[in-house]
Amino acid sequence: MILEMKVPSPGESIKEVEIATWLVKDGDYVEKDQAIAEVDSDKATLELPAEASGIITLKAEEGDAVAVGAVVCHIDTDGKPSGATPLVESPKVTETPKAAPVPAATSYASGTPSPAARKILDEKNIQPSDINGTGKDGRITKDDAVNALPSMGTSTSGSRGSEKTKLSMLRRKVAERLVAAKNDTAMLTTFNEVNMTPINTLRNEYKDAFKAKHGGIGLGYMSFFTKAVTRALALFPDVNSMMDGDYKIAYDFCDISIAVSGPKGLMVPVVRNAENLTFRGIEADIKRLAIKARDGQITVDDMTGGTFTITNGGVFGSMLSTPIINPPQSGILGMHNIIERPIALNGKVEIHPMMYVALSYDHRIIDGRESVGFLVAVKDALENPVELLCDNNPKKAFEL
């Protein structure tokens, strides 16, 4: 029996996906529930499992955009894996002595460009005789012409190749959203700096006990920043709101999007109701989402929603940046690397670990007072973590 496999719906708003990678070849035997392809939507990359065991016939190419519900392959459930039937012994053939090497025979196709390749070569002013064809019998293919570089009139050494690859649907959607954020919002950025000495002191004192108590979960910077952000959002609720046409949507909860880097690019999974989570709860959720992003298992539901975003360019060495708003949100906090710098403190010059922080915000809905006040509230909480984030009881806050 021939089973038609159709593209399942990854989510209500998704009408189309792209075949990112086939994990099997045409004619392979596949087992039921075996991952046969990775498909990209504009929100996530998902695996496509085989619905039955049998011989597979592919009906779409890598890079094809296919509608949800479209047939992407057939599975012959009567097919058997290779080696399941006895092989008929082939008759013996007497081996003839190998002849001395001779040059491959040329044909009329050698060095002849295809019509599409000819047009590209003419546009580049490249002679067919200047490149080697990789097609059948030496024919010059369209790819040969696309990759060919015109002579610069001087001799060069080393590789001068180039490669043109199509962006994944996810990357194209990210690009579209970033451009929209720049064009459709009145985005401004305000900056401040944070003395990280108090947090470093607190982490150094409790991180080992925290990790031992909570099954290997570390006490990182992200839980402190998330706590500081949820506190500041409660003080300045406009930063936790969104534009919807002529209306403002305000939220009484904090779903914090955490930007993480995955194999498919930037992912922004959401920590739900972060305002109610403990340090352990925040760190555990971030770890869970980061592992899913690293393994390519992030789902649409993991990234849907979010009322405010935190991004940490410091892990890559960034000292200062203007993060781009994650629409339809109105604000994003950028963290940066920690560098020891001399600062004036109580009339003296001291060296402390310092971090620049940046808040990009939509000025259509957030005024200067709210944006600056929000960032100052984040700074205050990070520089007074025992009092403002731990309620003067770190052991209780860290659940030790």
Side-chain angles (χ1 to χ4, degrees):
M1 182 182 77
I2 302 298
L3 171 70
E4 291 185 337
M5 269 198 60
K6 299 178 180 179
V7 178
S9 174
E12 279 186 27
S13 62
I14 298 175
K15 306 299 181 186
E16 186 180 71
V17 299
E18 185 175 281
I19 305 296
T21 307
W22 280 111
L23 304 177
V24 296
K25 299 189 296 294
D26 199 55
D28 279 358
Y29 180 83
V30 298
E31 298 282 355
K32 186 177 186 298
D33 295 328
Q34 174 185 343
I36 59 173
E38 290 182 351
V39 296
D40 283 342
S41 73
D42 59 11
K43 295 183 178 179
T45 298
L46 308 170
E47 285 189 345
L48 190 65
E51 295 176 6
S53 299
I55 301 296
I56 193 167
T57 303
L58 309 184
K59 295 297 183 181
E61 301 287 339
E62 289 185 358
D64 283 356
V66 291
V68 170
V71 175
V72 289
C73 66
H74 289 168
I75 297 178
D76 181 359
T77 58
D78 295 326
K80 303 297 181 185
S82 59
T85 56
L87 298 175
V88 178
E89 185 177 354
S90 302
K92 293 182 179 179
V93 178
T94 304
E95 184 177 353
T96 56
K98 293 182 180 178
V102 294
T106 59
S107 74
Y108 73 93
S110 298
T112 302
S114 68
R118 167 68 71 182
K119 182 175 184 298
I120 294 171
L121 292 178
D122 288 344
E123 291 173 352
K124 291 185 172 184
N125 197 25
I126 299 175
Q127 296 300 316
S129 58
D130 291 339
I131 61 177
N132 295 319
T134 61
K136 185 177 181 181
D137 297 324
R139 179 179 287 274
I140 298 172
T141 67
K142 180 181 177 181
D143 284 343
D144 294 333
V146 168
N147 294 326
L149 293 174
S151 173
M152 304 302 290
T154 58
S155 61
T156 60
S157 61
S159 173
R160 292 178 59 81
S162 63
E163 183 180 6
K164 183 178 181 180
T165 57
K166 187 177 181 180
L167 295 176
S168 70
M169 183 177 286
L170 178 61
R171 173 52 64 182
R172 297 199 303 271
K173 186 62 177 180
V174 168
E176 178 186 318
R177 287 167 60 85
L178 293 178
V179 172
K182 294 286 286 185
N183 293 338
D184 299 340
T185 65
M187 193 177 84
L188 291 178
T189 305
T190 183
F191 304 93
N192 215 312
E193 62 179 0
V194 176
N195 184 345
M196 299 294 288
T197 297
I199 285 181
N200 285 349
T201 301
L202 200 57
R203 287 183 68 240
N204 289 337
E205 183 176 353
Y206 291 102
K207 65 181 181 180
D208 291 340
F210 187 94
K211 192 170 187 177
K213 172 74 173 182
H214 301 304
I217 297 173
L219 180 61
Y221 290 113
M222 286 304 299
S223 55
F224 286 94
F225 273 82
T226 303
K227 283 278 189 183
V229 162
T230 58
R231 174 182 177 275
L233 290 176
L235 296 173
F236 299 93
D238 278 352
V239 185
N240 198 43
S241 59
M242 300 180 188
M243 288 282 290
D244 184 13
D246 293 333
Y247 294 86
K248 177 179 78 173
I249 304 175
Y251 299 95
D252 63 356
F253 57 88
C254 300
D255 282 357
I256 305 300
S257 304
I258 305 291
V260 297
S261 181
K264 296 291 183 178
L266 184 70
M267 305 285 182
V268 196
V270 180
V271 176
R272 311 284 178 186
N273 285 105
E275 77 280 5
N276 296 329
L277 295 179
T278 62
F279 281 87
R280 178 195 177 281
I282 293 171
E283 293 290 355
D285 218 22
I286 291 175
K287 181 178 180 180
R288 175 183 65 84
L289 293 168
I291 291 173
K292 291 184 73 173
R294 181 198 66 194
D295 296 342
Q297 301 298 319
I298 283 286
T299 66
V300 174
D301 289 341
D302 290 326
M303 296 192 292
T304 300
T307 61
F308 186 88
T309 295
I310 301 175
T311 181
N312 185 5
V315 296
F316 304 111
S318 171
M319 184 184 76
L320 191 61
S321 68
T322 55
I324 297 179
I325 294 170
N326 179 21
Q329 297 172 19
S330 299
I332 179 171
L333 179 73
M335 301 166 57
H336 300 90
N337 61 354
I338 301 171
I339 296 178
E340 288 194 339
R341 298 200 308 270
I343 62 171
L345 197 65
N346 299 322
K348 296 184 297 182
V349 175
E350 298 182 9
I351 295 176
H352 285 271
M354 304 297 295
M355 176 193 286
Y356 288 120
V357 288
L359 172 72
S360 292
Y361 61 98
D362 189 346
H363 206 354
R364 297 177 303 166
I365 197 171
I366 303 170
D367 291 331
R369 186 186 75 85
E370 283 76 20
S371 61
V372 174
F374 172 90
L375 197 56
V376 169
V378 169
K379 171 184 170 70
D380 287 344
L382 294 172
E383 292 184 340
N384 300 277
V386 173
E387 177 187 353
L388 300 181
L389 300 181
C390 298
D391 197 23
N392 290 310
N393 192 341
K395 285 190 174 181
K396 182 178 178 181
F398 299 149
E399 303 174 80
L400 300 178

